[in-house]
Amino acid sequence: MGWYVLFVETGSEDIVQKYLESQFCQKDLFSIVPKRLVPEKRNGEFYSVVKTLFPGYLLIYTKMTPSLYYELKKIPRSYRMLRNSSFELDKIYGRLQRHTDFPLGEEGSIDAYYDNFFSEIDELEIRQILNLINDECIIEYSNVIVENSIIRVRSGPLYGMESNICKIDKRKRRAKIALDFFGGERQLELGIEVL
């Protein structure tokens, strides 16, 4: 089993997740939509707003097989798997359906033939995200002290990740952090409390 990314219609992440929960047993397919708590200023006052961390992406933990892949493609508002060889898979799967003499895997199933077509999220990349989120899959505020351009995190999900912080915006109460994810560096804005 491993972590994969399902690309879905932006804004429909929670709808697709509820659909997955109703269609699949959680031990076979577990999904999360990471979110972040960020402060927004309206009419001179700050409000805490929950926003999706990666709009349009749903993280799923499963044993990926071609049959599961094609079931996921049928889900309304889902587009494709991220970072996979789905085009090549679709070509071979089409050939398999036309020719019954196509060689199958050792177990004699189509699923055994395609083990290497799906790219998992790297363990270190997903571990960073899982360490940041709480039980509700939300990244909460971190308490930060900034003295003489030195950033120290007192508590919260960013504790121990000071080296990942690129910039602190005291006025907006946000920290810009850099994480390796989806095969490249991503910069994310997370909410902070400046002490």
Side-chain angles (χ1 to χ4, degrees), residues 70-84:
Y70 285 106
E71 283 184 54
L72 293 173
K73 279 183 74 168
K74 294 177 189 174
I75 295 173
R77 300 180 184 185
S78 72
Y79 297 130
R80 60 184 165 87
M81 295 297 298
L82 207 61
R83 293 170 57 188
N84 76 346

Side-chain angles (χ1 to χ4, degrees), residues 4-150:
Y4 301 89
V5 178
L6 182 63
F7 184 47
V8 300
E9 182 181 307
T10 301
S12 301
E13 300 89 358
D14 291 326
I15 295 168
V16 174
Q17 184 183 25
K18 282 184 180 29
Y19 183 86
L20 289 174
E21 288 173 356
S22 69
Q23 297 297 314
F24 297 95
C25 175
Q26 285 224 329
K27 70 179 181 112
D28 295 332
L29 189 144
F30 175 73
S31 63
I32 62 171
V33 179
K35 298 182 180 182
R36 60 196 170 115
L37 191 63
V38 291
E40 286 192 355
K41 195 171 189 177
R42 283 186 238 133
N43 299 325
E45 290 191 41
F46 278 99
Y47 297 91
S48 293
V49 179
V50 176
K51 292 188 173 190
T52 304
L53 188 62
F54 303 113
Y57 298 104
L58 185 76
L59 306 180
I60 57 174
Y61 183 71
T62 189
K63 169 75 172 118
M64 186 56 68
T65 62
S67 56
L68 178 60
Y69 166 75
Y70 285 106
E71 283 184 54
L72 293 173
K73 279 183 74 168
K74 294 177 189 174
I75 295 173
R77 300 180 184 185
S78 72
Y79 297 130
R80 60 184 165 87
M81 295 297 298
L82 207 61
R83 293 170 57 188
N84 76 346
S85 304
S86 60
F87 177 72
E88 192 67 27
L89 176 64
D90 289 340
K91 279 180 20 183
I92 292 173
Y93 192 74
R95 266 190 263 149
L96 249 178
Q97 290 180 326
R98 288 190 303 274
H99 305 289
T100 55
D101 59 343
F102 198 83
L104 294 175
E106 290 176 17
E107 298 169 16
S109 74
I110 294 170
D111 294 347
Y113 189 76
Y114 295 110
D115 275 347
N116 298 321
F117 276 99
F118 304 101
S119 298
E120 292 183 32
I121 299 172
D122 183 67
E123 182 66 31
L124 295 174
E125 292 178 354
I126 193 67
R127 188 64 37 215
Q128 290 178 64
I129 299 299
L130 296 176
N131 287 339
L132 287 171
I133 61 176
N134 64 13
D135 292 340
E136 289 87 35
C137 296
I138 297 174
I139 301 173
E140 297 176 334
Y141 294 146
S142 293
N143 295 318
V144 177
I145 297 174
V146 181
E147 292 176 341
N148 302 325
S149 300
I150 297 172

